[in-house]
């Protein structure tokens, strides 16, 4: 009886700690800047969506970020992390690797493969459709709990 009581007490003590940890993560954690992001950190864990522009004042960049922030919760649920790079003079590793020209949107799969490059803003709906066709996403859908 003491063992069961100890176990129940331990579970109740641990629950608030878990809740606190999840509350400390900011809602904007899904949007990072190029200077803080390394593509290798996301391999097999997240789908990087990299948004390039030559300046944060680029109308295409502003439009794209508007689309993304409106539906960020949906992208986060699909394991998407948004990485922005609006400073070509900084010569970030992302710029060296992906070599954008002006505005660009690049979707990279969890496997590290570039699946999409677009020179114009895309609605989140279109990005989600592309993600749903990726091999890893298809596998995730097949292995989803509750499916037979």
């Amino acid at each position: 009886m003491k063992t069961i009581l100890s176990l129940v007490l331990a579970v109740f003590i641990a629950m608030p700690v878990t809740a606190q940890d999840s509350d400390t993560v900011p809602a904007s954690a899904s949007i990072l800047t190029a200077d803080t992001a390394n593509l290798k950190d996301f391999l097999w864990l997240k789908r990087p969506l990299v948004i390039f522009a030559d300046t944060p004042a680029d109308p295409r960049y502003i439009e794209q970020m508007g689309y993304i922030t409106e539906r960020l919760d949906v992208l986060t649920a699909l394991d998407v992390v948004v990485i922005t790079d609006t400073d070509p003079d900084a010569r970030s590793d992302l710029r060296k690797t992906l070599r954008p020209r002006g505005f660009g949107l690049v979707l990279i799969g969890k496997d590290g493969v570039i699946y999409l490059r677009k020179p114009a803003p895309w609605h989140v709906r279109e990005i989600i459709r592309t993600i749903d066709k990726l091999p890893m996403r298809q596998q995730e859908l097949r292995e989803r709990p509750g499916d037979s």
Side-chain angles (χ1 to χ4, degrees):
M1 184 70 170
K2 285 184 179 181
T3 307
I4 294 173
L5 183 59
S6 298
L7 181 61
V8 170
L9 185 58
V11 169
F12 283 121
I13 290 172
M15 284 176 51
V17 172
T18 305
Q20 280 181 334
D21 290 346
S22 64
D23 291 342
T24 59
V25 177
S28 62
S30 295
I31 300 179
L32 306 172
T33 58
D35 58 341
T36 62
N38 184 346
L39 291 179
K40 293 177 184 176
D41 294 340
F42 303 113
L43 194 61
W44 303 112
L45 300 172
K46 298 283 186 180
R47 295 178 178 94
L49 179 65
V50 186
I51 312 298
F52 290 104
D54 289 340
T55 173
D58 184 331
R60 296 170 296 179
Y61 174 78
I62 294 168
E63 180 181 1
Q64 183 66 65
M65 293 309 294
Y67 294 153
I68 288 171
T69 54
E70 286 175 3
R71 309 271 321 267
L72 186 59
D73 54 335
V74 177
L75 291 172
T76 302
L78 292 172
D79 296 329
V80 173
V81 61
V82 178
I83 304 170
T84 63
D85 187 338
T86 58
D87 185 7
D89 294 333
R91 292 187 175 90
S92 68
D93 289 339
L94 284 174
R95 281 192 182 267
K96 291 175 187 173
T97 302
L98 300 175
R99 305 176 58 84
R101 295 182 186 150
F103 177 84
L105 177 143
V106 181
L107 175 64
I108 303 170
K110 287 184 176 181
D111 55 2
V113 175
I114 297 171
Y115 285 99
L116 177 71
R117 282 184 182 266
K118 289 293 173 183
W122 255 35
H123 288 276
V124 172
R125 178 185 70 247
E126 296 163 324
I127 296 169
I128 292 170
R129 285 182 186 159
T130 301
I131 290 170
D132 282 343
K133 294 175 187 175
L134 300 180
M136 288 286 296
R137 178 65 179 150
Q138 290 293 310
Q139 181 179 352
E140 291 169 0
L141 291 172
R142 284 190 301 272
E143 295 174 355
R144 199 168 40 184
D147 289 349
S148 299

